[in-house]
Amino acid sequence: MPAAITTALALLIGVLLVQWLPQLPPRWCLALPLSAAWLLAWRWPPWRWLACVLFGIVWAAWHGAAAMEARLPHALEGHDVAVIGRIIDLPQAGNDASRFTFRVEQATLDGHPVALHGRVTVSWYDDAPVLQPCTRWQLLLRLKRPRGLLNPGVADSERSALERGIVATGYVRDDPGNTRLAGPRWCVDGVRDAVTRGIAARVNDPHDAALLQAFSVGDTRGLTPQDWEVARANGVSHLIAISGFHVGVAAVFGVWLTLLAYALWPQLGLRLPRPQAQAAAALLVAGFYSALAGFGLPTVRTLLMIAVVALARCGRRGSSGAPSLALAMIAILLFDPLAVLAAGFWLSFVGVLFLMLCLQARGRGWRAFLRELSVGQLIMTVALLPLTLWFFGQASLVGALSNLIAVPLVSFLIVPCALFGMLLLGLCPPLAAPVLWLAAQLAHAQWWLLVRMSTWPGAHWYLPTVQPYALLLALLGALWLFLPRGMPLRWLGLLLFLPLLWPPRQVPAEGAFQAWVLDVGQGLSVLL
């Protein structure tokens, strides 16, 4: 097994072991496993995999302790804290309030500095001003630590806040000191906002504009809950949030631009070989597009894989899929070991791994391409079904067909048109209108079809709470099901999906009832 794969698996095991600890160990206790890891890596090379496991434990525990310590101190809850910071991401204006993410630079309580730094999610009620990304503000906030509702079957918002680096939540208090300060004129989120406004100004239908904004720069502010319901029913939420495949399309766009440049100026080949120029351009364009997409985990994972291949190409070295995926995992875990708390981490890596293991390229040409595309969507739908049920409690049985239609349309038509339109917005804005109009029409036609498919039987499929053993058996069954031809009894892999149906729903006995007391935030609700 290549060293990169062994290192990635060992590091992942170490990070996961920390997630099962009842509490994080004190930092001084981490010196012992760190010393043992260094000793194993130095003196006993065959045991370097164990050194990686120990290092993963130390690294995850250190980051976890730092993230817990960064949260709002208990003494500041319920107090009005004056903060200075900058709006990051894209603010969302609602009917009742404007909501945004605020990066705190400094904070004071009654004129005295307090230890509060990091990201804060804020709501601004009562005639909030127009908020723009990148702007700096001085605000008076009422804050509290991130907390989630303790109801079975719902998302763990506190865990999500920890994974996203949110240290507090709160709202803006009425105060004459709430003022905008001088700050940077532009940032990446500012560029995203400018692209969003450019699309809205050139696409007449607001819903088509919202779809195009989501597909192009990951701006989902214009989508309604009904839109997300349609996306979940068709299993295409990953396309709306910009999938890693879009970043790959952007990299190909960079390769095409390089081919065009070398065709127009052949003398460039005398200064820089074309393969190395193509690799650098692919990485550059993919990085720029990932920034416009907000650097979500699927985009970062694909960007890291492209970086590995590009660096290998620039260094005239070979690269293969599995080691590239392993290096991408190592980079993500080293950058942020808390990424394992996100569902996107597992869906991204498990999905790509299944495609590498089960999808075999046969022949060339458009027929082979269509076959790989259709089989790939079937593999992704079946392989990710157990994980989807584990994380979200529901799945879509029409997802394979929906993705078979949506993935090529979005990735090969809508996204390239949107990329070209975004390029024209900066170079020649009048020419951007027809290109964006074409992309909007394609998005409109696709969404019309997805709305119809969301009403088909099996679009919303709910099962009992998935148990860990059922999850592992179903993943093993998916791998068995898609083994290469010649492997006998592949259909028996379907039997390993049956534990997902267990246990059956418990029905109250005659004359009995079941009651749930639900935490709804502002009080309690009783469901009979």
Side-chain angles (χ1 to χ4, degrees), residues 215-218 238-248 250 283 286-307 328 332 344-345 348-349:
F215 290 141
S216 56
V217 294
H238 61 99
L239 293 179
I240 293 180
I242 296 188
S243 67
F245 195 68
H246 295 175
V247 181
L283 180 59
F288 178 74
Y289 187 62
S290 298
L292 289 180
F295 282 118
L297 184 62
T299 61
V300 171
R301 182 258 305 163
T302 306
L303 179 62
L304 290 173
M305 292 185 64
I306 294 173
I332 289 180
F345 176 88
S348 297
F349 282 101

Side-chain angles (χ1 to χ4, degrees), residues 203-376:
V203 178
N204 295 328
D205 189 290
H207 187 259
D208 292 346
L211 289 175
L212 197 56
Q213 291 161 356
F215 290 141
S216 56
V217 294
D219 181 5
T220 60
R221 294 177 295 177
L223 300 180
T224 65
Q226 291 75 21
D227 293 329
W228 286 109
E229 191 69 19
V230 171
R232 284 191 293 268
N234 288 277
V236 296
S237 299
H238 61 99
L239 293 179
I240 293 180
I242 296 188
S243 67
F245 195 68
H246 295 175
V247 181
V249 173
V252 174
F253 190 70
V255 173
W256 288 348
L257 289 178
T258 307
L259 289 175
L260 178 61
Y262 273 73
L264 295 177
W265 299 283
Q267 61 271 23
L268 290 175
L270 299 176
R271 298 181 178 273
L272 180 65
R274 192 178 67 182
Q276 281 70 34
Q278 289 175 336
L283 180 59
L284 181 63
V285 175
F288 178 74
Y289 187 62
S290 298
L292 289 180
F295 282 118
L297 184 62
T299 61
V300 171
R301 182 258 305 163
T302 306
L303 179 62
L304 290 173
M305 292 185 64
I306 294 173
V308 170
V309 176
L311 293 176
R313 179 64 62 88
C314 291
R316 292 178 171 85
R317 295 179 178 271
S319 61
S320 58
S324 299
L325 185 66
L327 289 174
M329 177 180 288
I330 292 172
I332 289 180
L333 292 178
L334 291 179
F335 178 75
D336 182 17
L338 295 179
V340 297
L341 298 177
F345 176 88
W346 299 100
L347 295 174
S348 297
F349 282 101
V350 172
V352 175
L353 181 62
F354 264 90
L355 288 178
M356 290 181 177
L357 293 176
C358 304
L359 190 60
Q360 297 179 341
R362 296 181 180 178
R364 295 182 178 181
W366 65 271
R367 291 183 178 179
F369 172 76
L370 291 178
R371 179 190 175 278
E372 291 180 10
L373 183 64
S374 58
V375 174

Side-chain angles (χ1 to χ4, degrees), residues 27-48:
R27 289 190 175 182
W28 60 268
C29 291
L30 301 179
L32 180 60
L34 183 61
S35 302
W38 178 82
L39 186 61
L40 287 172
W42 178 46
R43 298 297 301 271
W44 291 283
W47 292 90
R48 283 177 180 172

Side-chain angles (χ1 to χ4, degrees), residues 107-129:
T108 58
L109 177 63
D110 298 330
H112 301 286
V114 294
L116 177 61
H117 299 278
R119 297 182 177 185
V120 177
T121 56
V122 181
S123 299
W124 194 330
Y125 301 93
D126 301 330
D127 301 327

Side-chain angles (χ1 to χ4, degrees), residues 44-104:
W44 291 283
W47 292 90
R48 283 177 180 172
W49 64 271
L50 183 57
C52 293
V53 173
L54 295 175
F55 178 77
I57 293 174
V58 173
W59 190 242
W62 182 278
H63 270 259
M68 297 295 289
E69 292 174 0
R71 295 196 300 176
L72 180 74
H74 287 288
L76 297 182
E77 287 193 300
H79 294 280
D80 293 338
V81 181
V83 300
I84 294 177
R86 182 169 57 91
I87 295 178
I88 60 176
D89 210 342
L90 299 176
Q92 184 172 4
N95 296 327
D96 58 336
S98 294
R99 294 173 174 85
F100 57 96
T101 304
F102 196 71
R103 184 184 294 278
V104 177

Side-chain angles (χ1 to χ4, degrees), residues 19 70 157 166 333 466 487:
Q19 313 308 317
S157 57
I166 302 297
L333 292 178
V466 178
M487 184 66 64

